């Protein structure tokens, strides 16, 4: 049922040439994917997809539509050749998948190599109930550091391409979507809860679903909403844009610094066992610190990207 | 097993948008679909029959495989960051050419080439 819904949403999104509708459909598509991940017991992934795919992506794509055009030009090309290519590739993939292990098979090769160790040892070795967190932050700490750097670099690339300018709402008190009393009151109350929830996700990620990636995105959402309801200038007074770059760098510094600190204490880079009086305690401290670093960087980069897009003027408005 | 077929279907849907349609913003959305299909494939592979979410709970013996979850979690966040780079490229192209349609951009480039050639 869910799978059919996903397929239909994708097909409709392809056929529409009103890009606003396509972006909205893509939001629904992301949300359905999140539900699917939840069904597959991938709680952390579902959480991230809901916050990132259905939330931030949609906002960024809508900002892009504001800066470009809403309607796609009529198609002038013949769709037969692309369809043929897609058909052949799809058939090849299906053929390759025919001898894949049965869905959910506990004896599949994926579950044989590293997974048993992570599932059985991580609760005692790392001492964190959420296995996803212990793999992400401890066993796979190097890769996660790399991913955070990719995010940082992507933020830099957006800054180089667009820069942070002052948009049409740069005067204090000028709002993006008009002065609506109900929205102002509701959002003012809501923001406190969003931030509180982000902090909960950040620091409770060791025990339940969540962690730095999700928390950073949710924290950034609070500022995005503030920007939309109370105006760009007010939002930038709360969180000045030149701070965001420093924050993004600081997050990576905190992450890598934790690794260097464990090197100075005589262990390998990012081996947090060195940080506490016993290894498990050290792991706890290390994971807390690097998740905080991840959260800060993700927050700063997402908000920077949002400011870069919201600060652009439409080409026809440039005088 | 349907999850695998769905992943292939969505991947091909995204692929079709990328190669057959001319609008750059729509191409980026197609890439997003392509990307999500990979997430679905990985997470489906991590599923274990009768397994629970990989968070230690009392009384639960079988857990899903946490490794694909970790890979896809970070991939989603990296994905949105790279999508943002793609979208900002589209915005810059729109500033320079006044269009995000591939055909218009190609035409403008061709005209520019002709002008340059005749100038030489």
């Amino acid at each position: 049922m869910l799978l059919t819904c996903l397929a239909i949403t994708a097909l409709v999104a392809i056929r529409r040439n009103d890009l606003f509708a396509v972006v909205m459909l893509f939001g629904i598509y992301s949300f359905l994917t999140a539900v699917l991940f939840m069904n597959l017991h991938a709680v952390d992934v579902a959480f991230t997809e809901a916050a990132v795919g259905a939330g931030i992506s949609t906002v960024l794509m809508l900002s892009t539509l504001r800066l470009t055009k809403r309607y796609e030009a009529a198609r002038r090309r013949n769709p037969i050749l692309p369809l043929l290519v897609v058909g052949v590739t799809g058939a090849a993939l299906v053929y390759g998948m025919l001898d894949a292990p049965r869905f959910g098979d506990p004896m599949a090769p994926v579950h044989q190599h590293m997974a048993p160790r992570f599932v059985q040892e991580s609760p005692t070795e790392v001492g964190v109930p959420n296995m996803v967190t212990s793999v992400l932050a401890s066993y796979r700490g190097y890769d996660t550091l790399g991913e955070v750097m990719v995010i940082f670099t992507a933020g830099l690339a957006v800054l180089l391409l667009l820069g942070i300018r002052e948009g049409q709402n740069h005067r204090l008190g000028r709002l993006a979507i008009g002065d609506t009393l109900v929205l102002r009151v509701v959002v003012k109350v809501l923001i406190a809860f969003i931030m509180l929830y982000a902090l909960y996700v950040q620091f409770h990620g060791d025990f339940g679903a969540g962690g730095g990636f999700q928390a950073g995105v949710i924290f950034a959402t609070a500022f995005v909403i503030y920007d939309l309801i109370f105006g760009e200038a007010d939002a930038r007074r709360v969180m000045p844009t030149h701070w965001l770059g420093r924050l993004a760098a600081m997050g990576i510094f905190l992450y890598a610094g934790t690794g260097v600190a464990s090197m100075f204490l005589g262990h390998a880079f990012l081996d947090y066992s060195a940080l506490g009086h016993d290894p498990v305690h050290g792991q706890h401290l290390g994971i807390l610190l690097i998740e905080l670093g991840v959260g800060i960087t993700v927050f700063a980069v997402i908000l920077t990207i949002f400011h870069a897009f919201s600060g652009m003027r439409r080409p026809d408005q440039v005088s | 097993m349907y999850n695998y077929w769905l992943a292939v279907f969505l991947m091909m849907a995204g692929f079709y948008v990328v190669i057959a349609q001319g609008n750059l913003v729509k191409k980026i959305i197609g890439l997003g679909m392509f990307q999500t299909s990979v997430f679905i494939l990985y997470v489906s592979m991590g599923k274990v029959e009768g397994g629970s979410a990989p968070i230690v709970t009392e009384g639960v013996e079988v857990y899903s495989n946490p490794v694909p979850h970790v890979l896809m979690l970070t991939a989603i966040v990296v994905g949105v960051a790279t999508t943002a780079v793609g979208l900002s490229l589209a915005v810059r192209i729109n500033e320079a050419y006044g269009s995000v349609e591939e055909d218009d951009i190609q035409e403008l480039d061709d005209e520019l080439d002709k002008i340059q050639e005749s100038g030489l």
Side-chain angles (χ1 to χ4, degrees):
Chain A
M1 180 60 203
L2 197 61
L3 303 180
T4 324
C5 283
L6 257 175
I8 293 172
T9 320
L11 276 184
V12 176
I14 292 176
R15 295 199 60 83
R16 293 300 297 262
N17 59 357
D18 177 359
L19 288 173
F20 179 73
V22 175
V23 170
M24 283 301 152
L25 281 167
F26 191 61
I28 295 173
Y29 172 87
S30 293
F31 195 72
L32 286 174
T33 322
V35 177
L36 178 67
F37 290 154
M38 201 66 209
N39 271 346
L40 292 169
H41 295 296
V43 278
D44 284 273
V45 190
F47 199 176
T48 319
E49 179 69 34
V52 171
I56 295 292
S57 294
T58 314
V59 172
L60 290 182
M61 283 177 182
L62 287 181
S63 324
T64 313
L65 285 192
R66 182 180 68 91
L67 297 168
T68 57
K69 290 179 194 67
R70 176 169 169 175
Y71 291 97
E72 191 185 2
R75 257 158 258 163
R76 276 178 268 175
R77 279 182 265 175
N78 194 347
I80 292 181
L81 183 64
L83 271 180
L84 195 72
V85 172
V86 165
V88 171
T89 321
L93 286 178
V94 168
Y95 176 70
M97 222 164 247
L98 282 177
D99 49 354
R102 191 170 47 84
F103 177 62
D105 184 3
M107 297 314 289
V110 213
H111 307 307
Q112 303 306 321
H113 181 47
M114 313 177 286
R117 183 192 150 112
F118 291 148
V119 172
Q120 281 150 18
E121 304 288 327
S122 79
T124 48
E125 207 169 46
V126 183
V128 168
N130 188 348
M131 295 165 202
V132 174
T133 303
S134 49
V135 177
L136 178 111
S138 188
Y139 294 111
R140 226 176 138 264
Y142 271 64
D143 292 280
T144 309
L145 179 61
E147 315 250 14
V148 177
M149 281 181 179
V150 171
I151 294 170
F152 181 75
T153 316
L156 277 184
V158 172
L159 274 186
L160 285 174
L161 285 166
L162 300 182
I164 293 190
R165 306 174 209 178
E166 280 175 343
Q168 64 239 66
N169 303 312
H170 68 280
R171 266 170 286 150
L172 277 178
R174 268 205 71 180
L175 312 174
I177 44 177
D179 194 357
T180 323
L181 185 66
V182 177
L183 273 180
R184 275 173 169 261
V185 174
V186 171
V187 164
K188 227 172 208 169
V189 177
L190 207 61
I191 282 178
F193 283 104
I194 294 177
M195 287 182 161
L196 192 68
Y197 183 60
L199 290 175
Y200 168 77
V201 170
Q202 172 80 50
F203 295 111
H204 200 260
D206 309 0
F207 306 98
F213 284 101
Q214 295 94 326
V217 174
I218 297 174
F219 213 71
T221 322
F223 284 86
V224 170
I225 295 183
Y226 189 82
D227 188 305
L228 291 177
I229 306 295
F230 292 91
E232 194 179 282
D234 296 49
R236 290 189 185 185
R237 285 223 302 192
V238 178
M239 177 55 78
T241 42
H242 60 270
W243 276 24
L244 287 173
R246 293 175 200 170
L247 271 180
M250 207 186 85
I252 292 191
F253 185 72
L254 184 62
Y255 196 138
T258 310
V260 174
S262 54
M263 262 166 80
F264 274 119
L265 290 168
H267 281 63
F269 184 63
L270 290 174
D271 182 0
Y272 320 123
S273 308
L275 297 174
H277 46 82
D278 67 292
V280 172
H281 184 241
Q283 290 283 349
H284 270 288
L285 188 65
I287 290 179
L288 200 71
L289 283 174
I290 69 122
E291 287 271 19
L292 190 61
V294 171
I296 292 172
T297 300
V298 170
F299 159 73
V301 168
I302 298 278
L303 203 55
T304 305
I305 293 174
F306 175 75
H307 278 323
F309 275 95
S310 73
M312 294 285 287
R313 285 160 194 246
R314 296 173 61 127
D316 47 350
Q317 284 170 345
V318 178
S319 47
Chain B
M1 216 51 205
Y2 289 116
N3 285 42
Y4 294 158
W5 306 141
L6 179 83
V8 171
F9 176 80
L10 292 178
M11 181 178 270
M12 287 308 109
F15 187 37
Y16 174 76
V17 176
V18 174
I19 59 175
Q21 303 202 341
N23 189 294
L24 294 181
V25 178
K26 203 159 181 193
K27 273 180 196 273
I28 292 171
I29 294 176
L31 266 183
M33 265 181 203
F34 195 101
Q35 183 175 308
T36 318
S37 77
V38 179
F39 301 158
I40 294 176
L41 181 70
Y42 266 68
V43 171
S44 304
M45 285 199 291
K47 167 88 179 147
V48 177
E49 243 163 24
S52 173
I55 297 173
V56 178
T57 328
E58 265 180 63
V60 178
E61 293 292 316
V62 188
Y63 296 102
S64 289
N65 190 341
V67 182
H69 297 184
V70 177
L71 298 176
M72 290 309 106
L73 192 161
T74 47
I76 291 175
V77 185
V78 171
V80 75
T82 46
T83 305
V85 177
L87 289 174
S88 47
L89 275 173
V91 168
R92 288 287 293 123
I93 288 173
N94 188 54
E95 264 189 346
Y97 288 87
S99 168
V100 284
E101 297 289 338
E102 213 175 45
D103 299 344
D104 296 350
I105 296 168
Q106 191 65 47
E107 262 171 38
L108 277 171
D109 267 350
D110 290 346
E111 276 172 34
L112 207 68
D113 284 348
K114 268 180 206 160
I115 294 169
Q116 275 176 346
E117 273 167 30
S118 60
L120 289 169

